[in-house]
Amino acid sequence: MTPPEPLSADQLCMQCNPDIFPFETTSDLDDDYEVIGQERAVQAVRFSVGMPHRGYNVFVMGSSGIGRRNLVERFFNEAAAERAVPQDLCYVNNFDASHQPHLIELPPGKGSELRADMEELVEQLQAALSGVFESEEYQARRQEIEQEVNEEQEDALETIRDKANEQGMAMVRTPGGLVFAPVKEGQVMSPEEFQTLEQDEKERLQEIINGLQKDLQQVVQQRPRLQRELQERVKDLNKEMANIAISGLFDEMREQYADFEDVLDFLNAVEKDVLDNLRRIMPGNDNNQQGGSLPGFLRRASAQQEEALFQRYEVNVIVDHSESEHAPVVYENNPTYNNLLGRVEFAARMGALTTNFTMIKAGAMHRANGGYLILDARALLMQPYAYEGLKRALRSGELRIESPGQMAGVISTQSLEPEPTPLNLKIALIGERILYYQLKALDPDFGELFKVVADFEETLERSEENQVAFAHTLANLIREHDLRPFDRTAVARVIERGARLVSDAERVTINMLAIGDLMREANYYAEEAGSAVVSGEHVQQAIEAQIFRVDRARERTQEAIERDLVLIDTEGEVIGQVNGLSVLQLGDFAFGRPSRITASIRLGSGEVVDIEREVELSGPLHAKGVLILSGFLGERYATDHPLSLSASLVFEQSYGGVDGDSASSAELYALLSAIAQAPIKQAFAVTGSVNQNGQVQAIGGVNEKIEGFFDICRTRGLTGEQGVLIPVSNVQNLMLRQDVIDAVEAGDFHIYPVRTIDEGIELLTGVPAGEKDEDGNYPADTINGRVKARLAEMARQRAAFSRELKDE
């Protein structure tokens, strides 16, 4: 078996050739917009927009920063431009049930027009009613009615007075009311004179007085009837005069809104309410039965009462499209229940909370009705009741404004119940993939309401065509943020950095959040340098500055190794010891850290002990990788005898958790070294997972791992012997730093692509791995031969030991 050759310098980073770009700077490119790399998502959003049936809302999934919202807004805006402006939404008072306001839908702009017309109508009503009730005609007719009623009462009294005179009695008005007294010689008889009369005379006069009192009592009892008659006649007069005053005003309004049946119903209800509530409009008018001045309209109790009275006739326009040019596209960044579905506000008055139809406020779904609504899925799910309220509206096809407490059934106090709004809109939920899959799995309603998923790509293939298209995207970003033009070298360096961010030489990230930050920072350094154009040097300066701001932890980790606080060898040979590589992720910054992995063996029952797992410092993936080692050893070396060793594997000086299987190949190399007693060259570091067939598999973070070991070797001095073993399948992920590339090109550092454990162990020990002959045996002077022989010897020792124990 021939060991693999180290990679050449040009295999360590797929650099972007600036000459492929047909421009000198991005200012030479046209101002156009093209979505690149998102064919699947574009097709899904277009399908959702064009599908007219209910339930075809779209869930847009992918990581933040890849342009999800921008793309959705673009297609929503294009579709909205082709759709008509939806109707205005207005709430008006329900005079029959004030807690259930009526909804009126009007053409765009008509809502605000109706509101202004009603405000003007109220002013005209006040003027017209004030004028008619202060007119001479009204005063005269009211005085006539009052005079007629008074005359009827006076006539009745006059009749009794005449009757009393005929019977020798006089009707006298006293502080206590009307009384009757005998008359003698034209004068009212005094009480003393009355007492001097004979008893029979006194009894006769008293009987006459009692009869007259009964007649007077009957007349007095008629006074409430006459008062009610006066009130009714005055009320009828008020209605008649008010109707004459206001009917023309309402007729004009009805003519103006003749095409809108709901408005006509509202105007009829307002007119009826005005006529039915004249007493409230003119307090005291029909209580003045004695005539006099009747300016009750001018004597309202208070400005608050006046406001509350005429507020009943207002129009609450909750959605006004008077200035809209097409269907709405709404993004709600705080989708609380009330912000989404609307709310009813309350005002504190006299220690109590009050409300009415004028305090109904629209939600985002009202504003987006007839168009498109964009919501952040995570923000929506974090708000109590918001997601449930959204689903209820979509299922029912109507927007019902109610408090969360009412919806949940925990509040029973009466509040407003506005008439629901018919719902017709398209919704895009934007969120991470995990949210989509969880909702799909746990919510049975989700699939019915969001039938379309737009899955955004995270990366773009680095073909020449795509790289040129990516340059156009960068040019648009530059114009959008008013940055300096980028020359070809700057664009090429941005693309290279984009490939490094996804650890893939053949693809580039389309996370424009990270790319945009890099471009803005490069623009800053160009400005600091007084350059009118951003070059590749400015981009590189921005990259180095980004790393420097967050790599304190990496420096302290390397310093601990340099000071031998953490033991890592980069020269010499040791049995059962190898340099493994791991990656630490701190926020957005990741860096590689070498770790010493050691293995020890002894006679046993084939158990490979993972010390990290025993002390609960490893995760399940790392434990799986260690268990695979037992399968490899048994399949390759112990098919004809028991695996009779016990082995211990450990990450030395590891004080935190370890997970992942990327160190399983390094652990296997240490184990084979310990069994074969073949020392491993400490100038090498190893990464890669392994399967039971001995194939080395791809891992993540390969660039960070190589650079982490390289930094240690460079600090101690590059010898030309040092290097890293990586899986051959990870070569396509290499986007290494320029200093690593330079060291490889100079022959001071090496990177070996390894396919199998045999290739790796031969590089690490300098001893041939060995291949099976026709009889299934390995040459004795090879690693495989030594391991097989050692395991066979341990099996014999264990068997002999077992016989001794049995004999004893």
Side-chain angles (χ1 to χ4, degrees), residues 4-250:
E5 294 293 325
L7 297 175
S8 61
D10 58 2
Q11 293 178 282
L12 305 183
C13 179
M14 183 187 290
Q15 296 182 339
C16 180
N17 183 4
D19 294 335
I20 67 173
F21 300 118
F23 58 85
E24 291 298 324
T25 71
T26 52
S27 61
D28 300 334
L29 297 175
D30 297 333
D31 186 8
D32 56 359
Y33 180 86
E34 180 182 359
V35 180
I36 58 172
Q38 301 293 1
E39 291 78 9
R40 181 180 291 102
V42 167
Q43 189 273 341
V45 175
R46 280 181 173 159
F47 173 73
S48 174
V49 169
M51 195 68 175
H53 303 288
R54 288 177 59 180
Y56 284 88
N57 301 297
V58 59
F59 190 101
V60 182
M61 66 178 184
S63 302
S64 61
I66 58 177
R68 298 170 301 175
R69 179 181 161 189
N70 288 340
L71 185 141
V72 172
E73 282 186 339
R74 174 193 172 189
F75 284 104
F76 276 8
N77 283 322
E78 288 178 358
E82 303 297 324
R83 296 182 62 177
V85 180
Q87 293 185 312
D88 291 345
L89 301 179
C90 313
Y91 275 106
V92 296
N93 188 30
N94 181 347
F95 297 98
D96 296 326
S98 60
H99 69 287
Q100 295 177 327
H102 285 312
L103 174 72
I104 296 180
E105 298 185 56
L106 292 171
K110 273 291 184 180
S112 56
E113 184 179 327
L114 177 62
R115 176 175 56 195
D117 289 342
M118 287 303 298
E119 291 173 355
E120 183 178 355
L121 176 63
V122 167
E123 294 177 0
Q124 292 174 344
L125 287 175
Q126 295 180 52
L129 293 174
S130 178
V132 74
F133 289 118
E134 293 176 356
S135 66
E136 293 181 0
E137 179 186 0
Y138 174 77
Q139 298 293 342
R141 291 186 62 180
R142 175 160 179 162
Q143 289 176 3
E144 182 181 350
I145 293 172
E146 292 175 347
Q147 185 176 352
E148 290 177 359
V149 174
N150 290 336
E151 286 178 354
E152 183 179 349
Q153 188 172 6
E154 288 298 325
D155 289 345
L157 291 174
E158 189 63 31
T159 300
I160 296 175
R161 185 181 290 109
D162 293 342
K163 183 177 180 180
N165 291 336
E166 293 175 357
Q167 297 180 7
M169 294 289 175
M171 188 168 63
V172 181
R173 187 178 299 275
T174 69
L178 296 174
V179 297
F180 296 95
V183 176
K184 183 178 181 181
E185 296 179 357
Q187 298 295 326
V188 175
M189 186 180 296
S190 67
E192 292 79 7
E193 292 178 322
F194 181 78
Q195 291 299 326
T196 61
L197 297 175
E198 294 292 334
Q199 184 64 31
D200 293 341
E201 183 64 15
K202 286 196 294 185
E203 291 178 357
R204 184 186 69 82
L205 292 176
Q206 187 62 49
E207 185 178 350
I208 294 173
I209 291 173
N210 290 340
L212 291 173
Q213 286 287 359
K214 289 181 180 179
D215 293 340
L216 179 61
Q217 184 67 28
Q218 291 178 356
V219 172
V220 172
Q221 289 176 351
Q222 295 298 318
R223 293 187 66 181
R225 179 187 63 79
L226 294 175
Q227 184 66 29
R228 289 194 301 272
E229 181 181 339
L230 173 62
Q231 291 175 352
E232 289 297 323
R233 293 179 66 182
V234 170
K235 184 177 180 181
D236 292 341
L237 173 63
N238 290 342
K239 278 191 175 183
E240 178 187 348
M241 298 298 291
N243 190 43
I244 294 173
I246 68 175
S247 60
L249 300 176
F250 280 97

Side-chain angles (χ1 to χ4, degrees), residues 461-759:
E461 184 183 355
R462 278 186 64 185
S463 65
E464 183 173 323
E465 178 184 358
N466 284 344
Q467 290 183 107
V468 172
F470 193 75
H472 281 265
T473 301
L474 299 183
N476 291 330
L477 189 64
I478 290 167
R479 278 187 285 268
E480 179 182 348
H481 294 282
D482 194 24
L483 305 179
R484 286 168 168 74
F486 278 49
D487 66 15
R488 292 187 293 181
T489 64
V491 172
R493 189 67 189 96
V494 169
I495 291 176
E496 291 170 359
R497 181 59 179 173
R500 172 60 189 261
L501 290 175
V502 295
S503 296
D504 195 332
E506 298 177 1
R507 304 190 73 84
V508 61
T509 182
I510 47 181
N511 187 322
M512 302 314 294
L513 181 62
I515 294 297
D517 289 342
L518 176 60
M519 296 177 70
R520 284 184 286 271
E521 293 169 25
N523 180 78
Y524 168 81
Y525 289 110
E527 182 179 358
E528 288 284 298
S531 175
V533 176
V534 180
S535 68
E537 294 179 359
H538 301 130
V539 176
Q540 182 60 33
Q541 189 176 0
I543 293 171
E544 293 173 355
Q546 284 181 340
I547 295 173
F548 179 74
R549 289 194 294 267
V550 296
D551 74 341
R552 184 196 62 82
R554 182 183 66 174
E555 287 186 357
R556 297 289 80 79
T557 299
Q558 292 179 349
E559 180 182 333
I561 295 174
E562 293 165 11
R563 298 173 61 187
D564 289 335
L565 299 175
V566 175
L567 300 179
I568 297 293
D569 292 335
T570 55
E571 57 184 8
E573 298 180 352
V574 180
I575 293 175
Q577 176 177 303
V578 68
N579 293 321
L581 297 172
S582 59
V583 172
L584 294 182
Q585 183 81 37
L586 301 176
D588 294 331
F589 180 63
F591 62 92
R593 182 186 70 176
S595 299
R596 174 179 290 179
I597 299 174
T598 59
S600 62
I601 64 167
R602 57 200 174 275
L603 198 63
S605 59
E607 181 184 13
V608 178
V609 177
D610 176 13
I611 294 179
E612 309 294 328
R613 182 187 179 190
E614 295 297 318
V615 296
E616 298 183 352
L617 282 178
S618 73
L621 296 180
H622 180 261
K624 174 187 174 183
V626 173
L627 293 175
I628 287 175
L629 305 186
S630 297
F632 172 82
L633 293 175
E635 190 276 335
R636 175 170 287 195
Y637 304 114
T639 56
D640 54 355
H641 59 77
L643 189 59
S644 303
L645 89 163
S646 289
S648 298
L649 293 169
V650 65
F651 278 71
E652 304 289 357
Q653 294 185 285
S654 171
Y655 307 108
V658 176
D659 201 7
D661 62 351
S662 65
S664 58
S665 65
E667 291 170 322
L668 182 53
Y669 292 138
L671 192 56
L672 294 177
S673 169
I675 297 172
Q677 291 295 292
I680 291 177
K681 299 175 183 177
Q682 300 301 297
F684 288 111
V686 178
T687 185
S689 67
V690 66
N691 60 28
Q692 292 190 118
N693 296 320
Q695 297 171 313
V696 179
Q697 303 168 140
I699 44 82
V702 64
N703 294 292
E704 290 80 4
K705 291 175 178 178
I706 293 173
E707 291 168 355
F709 188 67
F710 171 81
D711 289 337
I712 297 300
C713 294
R714 182 179 58 182
T715 300
R716 293 179 173 178
L718 295 174
T719 63
E721 299 295 328
Q722 296 142 333
V724 177
L725 278 63
I726 67 171
V728 67
S729 52
N730 278 123
V731 173
Q732 60 189 325
N733 302 115
L734 294 179
M735 289 295 295
L736 292 168
R737 295 192 320 238
Q738 189 60 43
D739 56 347
V740 180
I741 297 173
D742 293 340
V744 169
E745 190 170 16
D748 297 330
F749 195 76
H750 308 284
I751 299 171
Y752 293 91
V754 175
R755 285 185 171 82
T756 64
I757 288 296
D758 288 340
E759 291 181 353

Side-chain angles (χ1 to χ4, degrees), residues 284-504:
N285 253 1
D286 48 2
N287 290 328
N288 188 355
Q289 65 171 358
Q290 299 300 325
S293 65
L294 300 170
F297 179 79
L298 303 176
R299 300 197 307 270
R300 294 182 185 84
S302 68
Q304 261 190 3
Q305 290 178 343
E306 178 183 355
E307 177 185 358
L309 179 63
F310 289 102
Q311 194 178 56
R312 294 156 52 85
Y313 311 136
E314 291 182 5
V315 175
N316 180 13
V317 183
I318 64 169
V319 177
D320 182 7
H321 286 296
S322 57
E323 298 183 1
S324 300
E325 298 178 356
H326 51 70
V329 177
V330 177
Y331 172 71
E332 177 55 60
N333 63 351
N334 184 26
T336 63
Y337 180 90
N338 289 334
N339 287 351
L340 199 60
L341 288 100
R343 65 189 183 278
V344 177
E345 295 182 342
F346 292 83
R349 291 180 180 173
M350 304 295 292
L353 293 177
T354 62
T355 188
N356 57 55
F357 73 96
T358 65
M359 305 178 77
I360 299 173
K361 305 298 179 184
M365 296 183 74
H366 292 93
R367 298 193 304 273
N369 202 21
Y372 304 89
L373 177 62
I374 304 173
L375 298 172
D376 181 84
R378 181 175 293 274
L380 174 70
L381 294 171
M382 290 178 66
Q383 298 296 335
Y385 303 110
Y387 178 60
E388 287 301 320
L390 174 70
K391 290 198 301 178
R392 177 177 295 186
L394 291 177
R395 284 197 304 265
S396 64
E398 62 182 22
L399 275 172
R400 189 176 297 275
I401 299 177
E402 55 187 354
S403 69
Q406 287 175 302
M407 188 197 76
V410 298
I411 295 179
S412 59
T413 55
Q414 184 176 13
S415 181
L416 293 187
E417 298 176 13
E419 185 178 346
T421 305
L423 187 62
N424 175 30
L425 82 165
K426 190 76 68 175
I427 296 179
L429 274 184
I430 301 177
E432 299 87 347
R433 288 182 175 84
I434 185 63
L435 292 180
Y436 173 80
Y437 295 125
Q438 286 180 336
L439 288 170
K440 192 74 173 176
L442 302 176
D443 182 5
D445 298 325
F446 179 75
E448 177 186 349
L449 301 176
F450 291 88
K451 297 182 179 181
V452 183
V453 56
D455 193 354
F456 272 66
E457 291 285 353
E458 311 283 338
T459 61
L460 176 70
E461 184 183 355
R462 278 186 64 185
S463 65
E464 183 173 323
E465 178 184 358
N466 284 344
Q467 290 183 107
V468 172
F470 193 75
H472 281 265
T473 301
L474 299 183
N476 291 330
L477 189 64
I478 290 167
R479 278 187 285 268
E480 179 182 348
H481 294 282
D482 194 24
L483 305 179
R484 286 168 168 74
F486 278 49
D487 66 15
R488 292 187 293 181
T489 64
V491 172
R493 189 67 189 96
V494 169
I495 291 176
E496 291 170 359
R497 181 59 179 173
R500 172 60 189 261
L501 290 175
V502 295
S503 296
D504 195 332

